[in-house]
Amino acid sequence: MRIVRTIADLRALLRPLREEGKRIGFVPTMGFLHEGHGSLIRQSAARCDVTIVSIFVNPTQFGPGEDLANYPRDLEKDQNLCLEAGASVLFLPEVSEIYPTGFQTHVEPGRLAEPLCGGFRPGHFRGVATVVAKLFNMVQPDLAFFGQKDYQQTVVTRRMARDLNMPVDVVVVPTVREADGLAMSSRNAYLDEDARRRALCISQGLLAAKAAFDAGERSTERLLEIVRKSLAEVDSIQYAELVDTQNLEPLPEQVDRAAVLCVAAYVGTTRLIDNVLFTPASPGTGSAPTLKSS
Ligand code: PAF
């Protein structure tokens, strides 16, 4: 596995591979990798000739008072995970490489960035879309792999790639969970024993709602009620919403199309998100569609 730190070195490394017709896979991350990232890298390695993993804690997607300064880091562990999962290249740029002095151009996502996390993290998806667009331009991947846990991020990214005519397929990979159901997240590292125990009610509520859906329940209100009841152990709920998978608009009464049930909640000072997919045509699959841009 090669490690590169500059855009020039990355381009020099990838140019001949692209000329040879190699299929390039890309997994953008902010580091402190876990098996959720491992599964993205493994999927890329299985489907592509070359897999690039970037580790870059992107300052523009953090709001004031968020955890940018304390974001967990463990480069040695990350390198081992990348190597073991099959990455070919690890891209480790400095902030000044991505945002040099004078930087002033941003990608402004539209309506898809407004609901759910967008309502609580102003500017977050502008920062995500900007850095992902820049990384896509640097790597020029054929396929890019994102985790379903950040569902809104996958939808915003797919829209951005389509709208800006980026020739990349955005592939969404199902959430990897701990043995007890907690969605894997770098931010789980912030949870102490009590918070870790209480955080479990998020996945328990979502999976209970999914079980009810699989058993035939289609009422939006009743499915939301199952989740809300389960969230008694969190300290505050930002949102629990059942929305259309494509446009992220709330489903008024019935789950009559592909939907995603999304939760954001604080356990102590840690903000956690999770979701489950409902597909009326084939209940029980829960897998995310492959999203193709043109
Ligand atoms: O999901 C993440 O880790 C980040 O939002 C991403 C996609 C790497 C952009 O900084």
Side-chain angles (χ1 to χ4, degrees), residues 7-87:
I7 300 164
D9 285 351
L10 181 71
R11 290 205 163 121
L13 185 66
L14 293 181
R15 195 175 303 115
L17 298 171
R18 200 170 292 111
E19 281 166 8
E20 281 170 36
K22 300 279 192 221
R23 196 168 153 92
I24 296 181
F26 179 44
V27 181
T29 82
M30 297 205 300
F32 211 69
L33 306 181
H34 48 70
E35 191 36 46
H37 299 105
S39 101
L40 303 181
I41 299 168
R42 266 183 261 283
Q43 281 244 4
S44 176
R47 295 179 60 178
C48 302
D49 302 306
V50 182
T51 291
I52 323 301
V53 178
S54 63
I55 296 182
F56 178 66
V57 182
N58 173 37
T60 67
Q61 69 188 73
F62 289 79
E66 292 190 347
D67 54 346
L68 172 62
N70 306 324
Y71 199 80
R73 294 167 202 250
D74 187 341
L75 191 52
E76 199 181 320
K77 186 165 156 261
D78 289 353
Q79 284 187 30
N80 290 336
L81 188 145
C82 288
L83 190 62
E84 182 269 323

Side-chain angles (χ1 to χ4, degrees), residues 219-228 240-242 261:
S219 156
T220 302
E221 201 36 56
R222 281 198 288 272
L223 290 164
L224 284 172
E225 196 46 37
I226 293 171
V227 181
R228 290 195 191 111
E241 285 197 54
L242 190 40
L261 177 49

Side-chain angles (χ1 to χ4, degrees), residues 28-30 37 56 58 61 124 128 131-132 135 146 150 153:
T29 82
M30 297 205 300
H37 299 105
F56 178 66
N58 173 37
Q61 69 188 73
H124 169 68
V128 170
V131 81
V132 172
L135 291 165
F146 291 83
D150 298 293
Q153 171 169 278

